Amino acid sequence: MPEQQARPAPPVIVRGPGSTAHGQIEEWLAEAIAAGQLRPGDRMPTEHDLAAWFGVSRMTLRHALATLARRGLVIRSVGRNGGTFVAESKLEQDRTRLAGFSEQLRRHGMVAGARVLSATARRVGPAAAAALGLADGEPVAEIRRVRLGNGRPIAVEHSVFPATLCPGLLQCRLDGSLYDLLDEKYQLRPYRARESLEPVTAGVREAEALEVREGAPLMLVERIAYVRDGRPVEYARDLFRGDRTRIVMWTSELADVR
């Protein structure tokens, strides 16, 4: 990265089919951020200086920076104090082990919070009924919340619980860990879960709740959580901001298929 003193040599940009200059610049800067050479809050050199250092046009450089901004790695602002700044590190969501959002944030030294959007008693819908093993029309408790990390929105949670398993749930405080609440009040600690992940984009309602633009990338995590005896206790569809979260999974050795 260029500095006023003792600038390092710029990376070599490979020109040829199957490789773009802006893509190589994007990956080089992403790796520099991942390696800590560029730290959260650092102000990057001007577009003019960066383009000259890489030996590319400003249009090419802007293309790379725009992609980094969409990935949530940099923040670009205009005005007198504007520029390109390295974004905060993404929150790593480890999906290998079942853990609630509050526990995930505590591991990263962040303060978890929740803003309840709605908490209603209703009849179960088809998708939740199939997931929870309920008959058509059975009562459920439906809770929608915005989950916060250090006061900033990270995810929108939409959870459905069988009313017969947790009566009075909606009368409890719902701004903390719901998994802790299920454990303490009903002895229904989720033990394992089946989760599916799918990239989606923010609609108007999600964009407003998560404070992102409409069409911003989100990660949908659909989950069925089970207690130790195998009963399903939660059906959830959570939407995570793509610019603030990273999904991490651990795998075992490759299965022997011989």
Side-chain angles (χ1 to χ4, degrees):
M1 182 54 54
E3 301 287 349
Q4 293 299 322
Q5 303 291 334
R7 295 183 179 182
V12 176
I13 303 297
V14 177
R15 315 277 180 172
S19 181
T20 63
H22 65 80
Q24 294 173 67
I25 294 170
E26 174 200 340
E27 287 309 310
W28 190 92
L29 291 172
E31 289 176 5
I33 293 171
Q37 297 169 5
L38 293 170
R39 296 180 297 275
D42 280 355
R43 182 172 186 164
M44 297 175 67
T46 65
E47 289 182 359
H48 178 273
D49 287 346
L50 270 179
W53 188 66
F54 281 113
V56 298
S57 68
R58 291 183 69 175
M59 182 177 294
T60 297
L61 189 279
R62 285 173 182 165
H63 193 163
L65 293 179
T67 305
L68 289 171
R70 287 194 295 271
R71 291 173 59 181
L73 297 179
V74 301
I75 298 172
R76 308 181 74 191
S77 60
V78 297
R80 183 175 181 182
N81 297 316
T84 302
F85 300 85
V86 179
E88 294 181 15
S89 300
K90 293 188 177 185
L91 170 67
E92 290 193 348
Q93 290 281 307
D94 185 353
R95 313 313 297 187
T96 311
R97 175 177 173 270
L98 179 61
F101 182 86
S102 298
E103 182 180 342
Q104 294 271 9
L105 260 65
R106 284 195 292 266
R107 294 176 186 172
H108 291 271
M110 300 176 69
V111 177
R115 183 169 71 247
V116 179
L117 299 177
S118 63
T120 57
R122 65 172 181 83
R123 299 298 175 182
V124 69
L132 295 171
L134 300 178
D136 183 40
E138 284 198 57
V140 293
E142 181 182 67
I143 301 171
R144 295 177 183 266
R145 308 189 300 172
V146 177
R147 297 311 310 267
L148 311 171
N150 290 346
R152 298 177 58 195
I154 293 179
V156 173
E157 288 182 344
H158 175 200
S159 296
V160 178
F161 304 92
T164 53
L165 289 183
C166 40
L169 177 64
L170 299 181
Q171 281 67 57
C172 299
R173 285 195 60 171
L174 302 174
D175 57 355
S177 169
L178 294 182
Y179 282 8
D180 287 348
L181 177 59
L182 289 175
D183 186 20
E184 294 165 5
K185 186 174 177 64
Y186 305 103
Q187 293 74 55
L188 292 172
R189 183 74 181 181
Y191 175 70
R192 64 184 180 90
R194 179 190 183 277
E195 293 187 316
S196 61
L197 283 66
E198 179 182 352
V200 296
T201 56
V204 175
R205 186 167 63 171
E206 296 83 17
E208 180 179 3
L210 291 172
E211 300 178 8
V212 298
R213 60 176 176 79
E214 186 179 353
L218 306 177
M219 180 60 72
L220 168 64
V221 179
E222 187 174 49
R223 178 177 61 261
I224 306 172
Y226 302 84
V227 293
R228 188 176 290 271
D229 64 11
R231 288 176 296 169
V233 70
E234 178 199 33
Y235 172 64
R237 289 173 59 86
D238 300 339
L239 290 167
F240 289 87
R241 283 179 54 161
D243 63 340
R244 298 209 59 203
T245 55
R246 185 195 313 274
I247 302 298
V248 177
M249 301 183 73
W250 291 83
T251 58
S252 59
E253 62 180 317
L254 185 65
D256 188 353
V257 296
R258 291 177 297 174

